[in-house]
Amino acid sequence: MVHLRSLLFLAVGLVARISAKSSTGDSVLVIVEPKQQDNYSLFFNGLKERGYELTFRAPKSEGPLVIEYDVPNFAHVILLASETKNFAKDVTPQSLVQLLGKKTNLLIALSPKQTPLSSLAAEFSLTLPPPGTPLVSYFPEREGSPSVIPVAVQANSVVPSNLQPVWFSGVPHSIGNNPLLVPILHAPAESFASETDGGSPDALVDATERGGEGLWAGSQLGLVTGFQTLDNSRVTFVGGADVFSDEYALKEISRDVPSGNAEFVREVAAWTFQESQVLRVERTTHHLVNGTEPLEQYTTNDNIVFSAYISHYDPKTSTWAPYSGINDLQLEFTMLDPHIRTAVLPSSGEPGKYSVTFRAPDRHGVFKFVIDYKRKGVDLQLMVIDFCSLTYLQSSTTVAVVPPRHDGYPRFLSAAWPYYTGAISTSIGFFLFSALWLAGDAREKKAKGHKAE
């Protein structure tokens, strides 16, 4: 019986490993206090069931190292030690920024207290209120602390539209104008930051005056915000670690109405770890209109066909599938500056293929086929602009554009017929003038000879 049970657990583990995985890797380092690890068991077990390999480490522990010999040891890092003020030497704001540059994804929980992670948030255009000022709301009327707030989840490109409200307890942040930010969860309109956790009212007033009226109140405050770098690595800041806790996942919003915390943190982790909203350019091709093979150089005014093949990541099968859902893809044919900018539309006959035909400019030099896709998404249900959560698409291919060869020009140019006519008429006129001049001189000499006789 014990043997059968072990086989059952092994089979469940194998099924979990082939279920949902990240497009960038499955190794996850979780930095959390050992005594608090059991508080997030539902969240951790959910990651394990989706195929992630979790490694736990205390905040002050020296190993395992986050980065070694300038190479990250993990594909993703989760920091749930939100109130820890001293981390190990390899866990600093500078090292975490370096991890993002190495394409490691980060999921970071913040705290109302001042910690090194507070200064890290400022590097991503997120402004935190003074220490000791968590988010507070007295609506709707409920039992318990006013700092434990049910927050309605507005549908966006990261979380679905059918989520129940989530319980939140922590610190809000104001969102800057950085276009790389991806707001995920906003504060309720009636909420505000208050000095209920040992904060200073004067410090809060001073910070509000510096940042503008209403800086720490209302729905413009962010509770969960993502950031996607130009290299497509992702980091998500969550205002409190309790959002991931078992307590909030099992706590009811009202009678017989469960909270949406479990599904919410699953969707946030899926986006952060690049399970969802991930695109890539598989390959690009270019050739003449009546050809099939790409050329190293084209001639001015050639008709060129450019095609790009784009796919999206399917976490359920861990495979890449063709994707034809982009309607605003553009191609730039550049030499320092774009000489041609044109739309690249999906091809109806082949999924994932985008194609365009254009004429090369009448200028020779070294050109590039450039795709640089960074867009804000559109919520089709609400018909409003939403912050983009798709990965950026970048592609560049270099070709030369040369003038025609000496035998490549036409024998006669239709636009030059006025010049041809002028040259021919001038030549004929000169010939007639010369003939008349010479003939007239001979007749004059003959007439003089007759007079002399």
Side-chain angles (χ1 to χ4, degrees):
M1 185 67 180
V2 176
H3 181 66
L4 181 60
R5 183 178 300 176
S6 62
L7 290 177
L8 180 60
F9 279 116
L10 180 60
V12 172
L14 291 176
V15 172
R17 286 181 179 274
I18 63 175
S19 56
K21 292 185 178 182
S22 168
S23 60
T24 60
D26 305 321
S27 58
V28 181
L29 176 64
V30 182
I31 301 178
V32 62
E33 292 287 353
K35 60 182 180 181
Q36 297 180 355
Q37 181 174 331
D38 294 337
N39 296 341
Y40 314 104
S41 60
L42 293 178
F43 175 60
F44 294 150
N45 291 336
L47 292 177
K48 292 178 181 178
E49 290 174 358
R50 284 149 58 191
Y52 289 99
E53 300 175 358
L54 303 186
T55 301
F56 294 92
R57 169 185 168 179
K60 299 180 181 179
S61 177
E62 297 297 332
L65 295 176
V66 175
I67 186 170
E68 190 174 9
Y69 301 113
D70 205 31
V71 177
N73 290 326
F74 301 91
H76 321 283
V77 176
I78 302 176
L79 286 94
L80 295 181
S82 57
E83 297 186 357
T84 302
K85 294 185 177 181
N86 297 316
F87 289 88
K89 295 181 179 179
D90 63 326
V91 183
T92 62
Q94 293 78 11
S95 65
L96 295 178
V97 172
Q98 184 182 7
L99 282 176
L100 283 176
K102 302 292 183 181
K103 297 188 177 182
T104 298
N105 305 304
L106 306 177
L107 182 57
I108 301 174
L110 301 174
S111 170
K113 298 181 180 180
Q114 184 69 31
T115 66
L117 300 180
S118 303
S119 60
L120 176 63
E123 299 295 330
F124 296 88
S125 301
L126 301 180
T127 305
L128 302 181
T133 54
L135 188 71
V136 171
S137 177
Y138 295 94
F139 300 95
E141 186 177 355
R142 62 194 181 279
E143 298 180 357
S145 172
S147 61
V148 180
I149 307 170
V151 182
V153 180
Q154 295 183 354
N156 52 56
S157 53
V158 176
V159 294
S161 58
N162 56 351
L163 278 185
Q164 295 290 342
V166 300
W167 289 105
F168 177 84
S169 177
V171 61
H173 50 262
S174 64
I175 302 174
N177 295 324
N178 196 317
L180 303 180
L181 288 171
V182 182
I184 300 174
L185 183 65
H186 288 276
E190 65 277 0
S191 62
F192 58 94
S194 176
E195 68 285 356
T196 59
D197 194 15
S200 170
D202 296 335
L204 186 61
V205 171
D206 293 340
T208 303
E209 291 179 351
R210 290 194 302 267
E213 183 178 359
L215 177 64
W216 307 120
S219 58
Q220 78 274 11
L221 290 176
L223 304 181
V224 179
T225 303
F227 186 98
Q228 184 167 253
T229 67
L230 296 178
D231 293 331
N232 288 327
S233 55
R234 295 171 175 175
V235 55
T236 301
F237 291 92
V238 182
D242 291 336
V243 176
F244 302 90
S245 66
D246 299 349
E247 178 186 358
Y248 285 7
L250 301 176
K251 186 176 181 178
E252 293 182 344
I253 297 296
S254 59
R255 186 174 181 179
D256 297 332
V257 178
S259 69
N261 286 67
E263 187 176 355
F264 176 78
V265 297
R266 182 180 67 83
E267 296 294 338
V268 170
W271 181 84
T272 306
F273 296 163
Q274 297 196 35
E275 285 185 35
S276 61
Q277 307 291 330
V278 181
L279 303 177
R280 74 178 182 185
V281 179
E282 294 288 349
R283 60 189 176 93
T284 60
T285 61
H286 52 86
H287 55 81
L288 294 175
V289 168
N290 295 323
T292 57
E293 296 296 327
L295 304 179
E296 294 183 358
Q297 63 183 26
Y298 294 93
T299 305
T300 55
N301 297 317
D302 274 349
N303 290 320
I304 304 174
V305 178
F306 176 85
S307 301
Y309 296 84
I310 298 176
S311 60
H312 75 96
Y313 182 73
D314 185 0
K316 295 181 180 180
T317 59
S318 299
T319 57
W320 294 87
Y323 182 75
S324 300
I326 301 177
N327 297 318
D328 55 351
L329 188 66
Q330 287 185 336
L331 169 70
E332 292 181 347
F333 197 57
T334 66
M335 184 175 65
L336 298 180
D337 294 323
H339 285 61
I340 294 175
R341 182 183 288 117
T342 181
V344 186
L345 301 178
S347 298
S348 58
E350 186 174 354
K353 180 180 178 181
Y354 299 76
S355 184
V356 64
T357 301
F358 67 96
R359 189 176 70 176
D362 191 10
R363 183 174 181 181
H364 60 275
V366 179
F367 284 80
K368 291 183 179 179
F369 298 99
V370 176
I371 289 180
D372 190 7
Y373 183 79
K374 299 181 180 70
R375 295 288 191 277
K376 290 184 178 181
V378 179
D379 192 329
L380 298 180
Q381 295 180 351
L382 301 178
M383 294 306 295
V384 296
I385 299 298
D386 186 19
F387 286 84
C388 180
S389 61
L390 291 170
T391 50
Y392 306 133
L393 298 177
Q394 294 178 333
S395 174
S396 178
T397 305
T398 303
V399 295
V401 176
V402 299
R405 292 170 52 88
H406 66 281
D407 57 352
Y409 294 95
R411 180 67 64 181
F412 296 102
L413 301 177
S414 59
W417 276 112
Y419 304 98
Y420 298 154
T421 304
I424 294 173
S425 61
T426 302
S427 300
I428 294 174
F430 177 77
F431 175 77
L432 293 176
F433 175 79
S434 299
L436 293 174
W437 178 267
L438 293 176
D441 185 60
R443 288 196 297 271
E444 183 179 354
K445 289 181 179 180
K446 187 176 182 181
K448 288 181 179 180
H450 287 297
K451 289 181 182 181
E453 293 176 356

